[in-house]
Each structure stands twice: as C-alpha cells, then as structure tokens.
Amino acid sequence: MSTDATTASASRAQRLDRLPFTREHGRLVVGSGLGWALDAMDVGLISFVMAALAVQWSLTPTELSWIGSIGFVGMALGATLGGLLADRIGRRQVFALTLLVFGVATGAAALAWSVASLLVFRFLIGLGLGAELPVASTLVSEFAPARVRGRVVVLLEAFWAVGWLLAALIGYLVVPRSDAGWRWALALGAVPALYAVVVRRGLPESVRFLELRGRTDEAEAAVRRFESAAGVAPVSSAPARPVPAARPGALWAPGSRRRTAALWTVWFGINFAYYGAFIWLPTLLVAAGFSLVRSFGFTLLITLAQLPGYAAAAFLIERWGRRPTLVVFLLGSAAGAGLFALADGDTAVLVTGMVLSFFNLGAWGAVYAVTPEVYPTALRATGAGAAAGFGRIASIVAPLCVPPLLAAGGNGLVFGTFSAFFVVTALAGWALPERRGEALEAVDG
C-alpha cells in the first residue's frame, strides 16, 4: 500500500488518529472493559450486602453508612496515587496492579468476621478500584481515533452497567438465599485477581506515554500493531522528544486552574448524587416496606435502564459534543431524582428510578469521555486521577449523609438533595472545554 509525503511525515499519534476502529481497538476496549465491569460488580454488590447485613448483624444506620463509605476512602486515595503512578511507570502496569489488589481484597472480604474486619477489607478494595477507573479510561482514550474517541470511551464506561447488572443478578439470586449468601457474593469478586494476569500480558502500553519516556521502539511496535490490524502499511515517524511527568501542582497553574475547578466540581457532584442514591437504594426500598427479594428485583430492573442510557450518550457524544451531552444528561438526572422523591406507589418508584438510572449513567459516560481530554499527555493520568480522587470524597460523604437526611425529611428530602447536586454539576459541566474531533495533541500544544 503506498503512502504520500504527508502520511510519511506523520507522528505516531497522528497515525493512530487516522486509523479506523479495528479489532485491536476492540480488544483494548473489551480487555479494559471487563476489568471495569468486575469493578462495578464489586461496588454494586456492597449495596446488596448492606441490605442483608442490616438484618443478619442488626446493624445501625451509622454502621451501614461506614460500610458503604469506607471503600470510597480507599478509592479517593487510590485514584490520586494511581494517576500519579500511571504518568510515571505506565498506564498498563498500574491497571494490572490495581485489578490484582482489589480482586484479592474482595475475596478476603467474604471471610469478614466483624464490622471492623469488613471495613478494613473494603478500604483495600477501594484502594485498587479507585486507581483502576481513571487509568483505564486514559489508556483507551490515547489509542482511540480522534473522530470516535468520545464514543469509544463511553462504550468502555458502559461496561460499568454490565458489572452492576451482574451485581444485581447476584444480589437477587444469591444474597437472599442463605445467611452465607453475602459471603458467596463477595467471593465471586475475587475473579479480577486472576484476570489481572491476562490484562498484564495482553494490553498495549500507551504510545503517547512511551514516546514521552523516550521508549520509541516500543511505541513504534504498538502503532504498527494497530496499523497491521487496519491493513495500513507502516511508515516511519520522527522520534518524539522525551518529557518528564508534570508535577501535580500544574493542575492549578494559570492555564489549567479554571478547567481543573470545573472538572473537580463535576466529579464531586456526580459522585455525591450517584453513590448516595444507588448504594442505599436496596436498603431504602426495604425500609419502605418492600421485601428483601422484591427490593432486589426492583433494583435489578432499575439497573437495566443504565444500558440504553449509555447507548444514547455514546451516540450523542459525537453528534452534540461532550459538553452538551454531559449537561443534558445531568439535567435529566436532576429531573429523575426529583420525580423519584415524589414517587408514590410501586409503578412510580420503578419508572422514576429507571429514568434516574438512564440519565445518570449516560452522564457518567460523558464524564469519562471528557476527562482525559482536559489535560496534556504528561499530566493526563495525574489530572484524571486527581479529579476522580476529589470526586470520591463526595462518595464517602454521601452515604453518611443519607441517614440524617432520611430522618429529617424522608426519601423526598434525600432525593431532592441529589437533584440539587445534579443541577449544580450541570452548571459546572458547561465550563469544561469542548474537544469533539480534536487530536489529544491539541491539548499538549
């Protein structure tokens, strides 16, 4: 296959951006996405475990809140440290390590003998999980062609719904069946420990990261792997200038601080509303008079609405752009939470819960699409990890806020508060940059 002068002089990043979506892109998305789904399965399972332990161990609302929140303490620390490490030792290395950490810790949590021991294991699980998500989205975004990058990252994020759906199925079929059901459910979460070996061997390292570290031979081999999958003849690229990883303080430099403030606000608001609602949902339904099995069944149906939410966001993210898609889905989430607050009767609870689920998870897809596009390559994983880490503070606080809000005004006040958070988050989302169709190197410039 012949190449013209323009192609011959293209950088490796430009060569990647010009490729169609290939089987290698598909392997990367599925390889990263399966880890993402297993992560979501773990986070989703704890909401069902909480509902079971509330009965079996006669736990107080405060104890339940800490079980729901402690994992997010680990996630906040893990996201920040994971991003820093990914900009220093590589995306793939950190991705595999985090899967191993949280997989082993999840299996160990199945043996918990007290609230204290469960809290320790949940913290370790969060440490691994928190680092994995922003690193995986950064890795995928750096390989995806510019014209479909947002759609590919939303597709990656959609694996979260698959994992949460698995959690809902396990919660519905396994947890209520015996007193040890919650232990069997958590034991299934040990699967990522084995999967980490596959990830470490099969996924490529980011070409952009390799170039910044002067590892041009590895970068060239990775690009040629994708070009071969597309049937494109390889060409030579000029060596890229090695650049050291940026310091975290660069996030608040004059050229970055506005974007960082907007991104952190978005991450904080969406975490507060999402985890406050969905971690407590099965327990709140039981408290409202639903049986444990019926509560889990409703949660399963509400979870199913996540899938079309992701599909809609994936379609719109390249039609409307990142910012309009994010804002519309956040406002839809606000409407869903407000309607859920007013819901009266089984049908109303189910329908409004599905509306909230549809828009909320579509918004999450847009958040993960826009986040890696905010910062240059040398700061990308650090910035994504820091934003996710700050957002996890909200996921710590939100489950702890539910009991006092519930006592003060019932479900109406709880979900009305979440609705207000979604509105504030939408306003912050409009301040983010719009990079639909742009190469990531436009940010580097």
Side-chain angles (χ1 to χ4, degrees), residues 64-86:
L64 287 173
S65 294
W66 276 110
I67 291 173
S69 291
I70 194 65
F72 300 117
V73 177
M75 289 176 77
L77 182 60
T80 304
L81 293 178
L84 288 169
L85 284 174

Side-chain angles (χ1 to χ4, degrees), residues 159-178:
F159 278 85
W160 183 271
V162 175
W164 201 284
L165 182 58
L166 287 173
L169 285 170
I170 293 169
Y172 181 70
L173 298 173
V174 177
V175 175
R177 301 309 174 190
S178 69

